[in-house]
Amino acid sequence: MKTDKNKKLKVGVYGITGCSGCQLSIIFNEEEILDLLSLIDLKAFPFIKELNIDEEFDCIILEGLVANKGDLEILRKLRRNSKMLVSLGACACTGCVPAYRHFTLKENYEHLLYKKQEELQDVEPSPHDEHVKVDYYIPGCPPDKKEILRFIKGSVRGVLPRPHQNPVCIECRRNGNACLLDEGKPCLGPITTGGCNAVCINGGFECWGCRGPTKDMNLDLMIKMLRDRGFDDRFIQDRMRTFVGLKLPMLERVMQGPKSKVLQTRFDGEKKFYE
Amino acid sequence: MQVLRLEKKRLNHFLNVVKKGFELIAPVKSDLVRFSKIHHAEEIQLTKNSYFPVKEYFFRKEETLFQFEGTRITVPAYEAKKRVFFGIRRCDLNAIKNQDIVFIRDMGDPYYKAARENSYLLGYHCNTAPSPYCFCGSLDLVDFFDLMFFDKEDHFLVEVGSEKGKSLTEKYQEFFTDSQRLITRNEKTIPGVHRLENKDISRFYDHQDWKKGADICLSCGACTTLCPTCYCFEIHDEVKTADPVKGERKREWSSCQLQEFTRVAGDHIFRKEREDRFKHRIYHQLQYFKEKYGVQMCVGCGRCIEGCPTRIDFVRILNEMKNGKTENNG
């Protein structure tokens, strides 16, 4: 689609508090990055670009979560300047590991903080949609590089790709993997949104749920299954909260509810206890 | 049909010779048993049935239906690799027969047809049920194979089931001798412990016991992915970055157990409740398919139970409905 430069989609890629891995995921589309650059008008991408024009955007792709006042200012400003705001990565969408702070006591982490923390003016770590309206989410830690590409191609054509809703298991079984739950591992695939091609399980590593819970998840059953496999409640809670704790506000209630204790499931494998 | 005899010690030799003329696919044990391309006949294992069905070789996990450029369409060449499949069980052969009804007889699907026409199906008859979950004896399975291998102590009896099978035995005639006998009906039944007592489930649609299955369902779709007969798919377009007018339309396995599967324009979801989706799968297997094509779709391989993370045993749930028990009796 050859359009003249003025009509191209004006895109800006920024990052607030985060590890920059999500922005890297964009660049990891090595084979198609040049085509991508001709498709859009990349106004700003401070991570890789020297000249960044800060003006009106059609689309802002933003990595990282709000962890201090500066982040919040940037987020609000970008939102004002752009027609569309896209949260890129687990931090931006769900709060990811930094937001785990909500679930632990201050004395557990206080001694680890930088000395000059007053200057940082930290706020409660929170994903974008707790502060501004978000138009599209590209979840994952890190996000799938092809999904980012698909989103950009879609927005250029004016047809946004349908967000993934299916659990990780769909892709995992399609890939011919053995079920890690059958091996007694605490895999969160059944309640986690797919779209990652089950990359962790392909490598023999259980799903930690970085892409967020599915709308249709059976949380009672998932908890019961992990209990059946010998994991204690503390472990289950910690594991489920690692990436998406803020999106599972019902977790504690469900764990204490009767249903997650009485469901009749069958597990023939060996019980394993994880540290 | 003609029955030939093949000495057991010559089986590997036979398969190694076949392998020179065809791509040989048979069950191999790695972490699980799966159908894979065979490099040496010694790799093949026949003690357990494959965990994954053989359908992926015909109805592929992902298939490019066509390439497009604007409105111009180019259809890719269909794969025409000549393949011999060895070690497919009676249930899975019937599953292929059922998928043939859908893809060849009903839809005339050229991708599926090309793969099927170039394949030879060599079955392996189970002497006993290979899994505690299989229940093929409860279903009306028929003979459907090119060649069927019956395991008899020191030799195989090889029943010829089609012209294709016959041509193969003629091509490799040095391995076969005439057995001077026929396979009895009795030899074709497979003893197994699991039984589906009730195959007509039409009167149970509103039965409360469906909840027993739905409550312990994660909607993960393992059952449909592992099912040798399930054939639902979704279609999406993949456009090129350099020129978004060009691209490919792809077909991908999907599952009726997903909410997303029945989402339609206007954001309506037909089967929003887990119970409806669970029920739909069983009804499609045992009733709807029969109403449409005259046979039950389920072939009793038991993979949907064995592969389910919580082992939802729909056979037991249905049996209990028949007996009128509604309480959970463990």
Side-chain angles (χ1 to χ4, degrees), chain A residues 1 32 35 150 153 165-167 169-170 173-174 176 178 182 216-218 221 225 229 264 266, chain B residues 32 34 51-52 61 133 215-217 219-220 238-239 241 243 252-253 260 274 277 307 309-311:
Chain A
M1 205 186 280
E32 299 185 77
D35 289 333
R150 219 173 288 136
K153 285 190 283 195
Q165 297 284 339
N166 301 337
C169 301
I170 285 292
R173 295 288 186 155
R174 202 184 289 157
D182 280 352
D216 185 38
M217 66 173 168
N218 193 341
L221 181 58
M225 286 175 72
R229 280 153 184 73
Q264 294 275 325
R266 186 169 162 179
Chain B
L32 294 165
R34 56 189 89 216
Y51 186 84
F52 296 96
K61 291 172 181 175
Y133 300 106
D215 269 352
I216 55 164
C217 177
S219 301
C220 70
E238 198 76 58
V239 295
T241 314
D243 189 355
E252 226 178 37
W253 285 5
E260 202 57 11
R274 218 179 294 282
R277 280 175 268 149
T310 61
R311 307 284 186 274

Side-chain angles (χ1 to χ4, degrees), chain B residues 3-18:
Chain B
V3 178
L4 301 168
R5 183 188 165 109
L6 170 75
E7 292 309 316
K8 228 176 199 174
K9 55 179 185 282
R10 299 197 72 196
L11 177 71
N12 283 351
H13 188 194
F14 165 67
L15 291 172
N16 278 329
V17 174
V18 168

Side-chain angles (χ1 to χ4, degrees), chain B residues 16-53:
Chain B
N16 278 329
V17 174
V18 168
K19 197 171 59 66
K20 283 178 190 148
F22 301 90
E23 190 175 84
L24 181 65
I25 311 287
V28 172
K29 170 117 175 80
S30 45
D31 52 340
L32 294 165
V33 183
R34 56 189 89 216
F35 280 95
S36 320
K37 192 180 164 185
I38 301 297
H39 301 284
H40 305 286
E42 291 73 20
E43 300 165 42
I44 300 171
Q45 77 79 40
L46 293 169
T47 46
K48 271 198 94 185
N49 194 9
S50 166
Y51 186 84
F52 296 96

Side-chain angles (χ1 to χ4, degrees), chain B residues 39-90:
Chain B
H39 301 284
H40 305 286
E42 291 73 20
E43 300 165 42
I44 300 171
Q45 77 79 40
L46 293 169
T47 46
K48 271 198 94 185
N49 194 9
S50 166
Y51 186 84
F52 296 96
V54 73
K55 70 175 174 185
E56 64 189 85
Y57 288 92
F58 311 115
F59 167 44
R60 293 184 195 86
K61 291 172 181 175
E62 193 182 86
E63 183 110 56
T64 300
L65 301 177
F66 55 78
Q67 279 106 24
F68 57 83
E69 189 180 343
T71 52
R72 215 179 65 227
I73 283 168
T74 349
V75 180
Y78 310 127
E79 192 192 5
K81 209 177 256 178
K82 288 224 179 287
R83 284 190 173 127
V84 168
F85 293 84
F86 177 72
I88 310 183
R89 310 284 173 138
R90 189 172 165 88

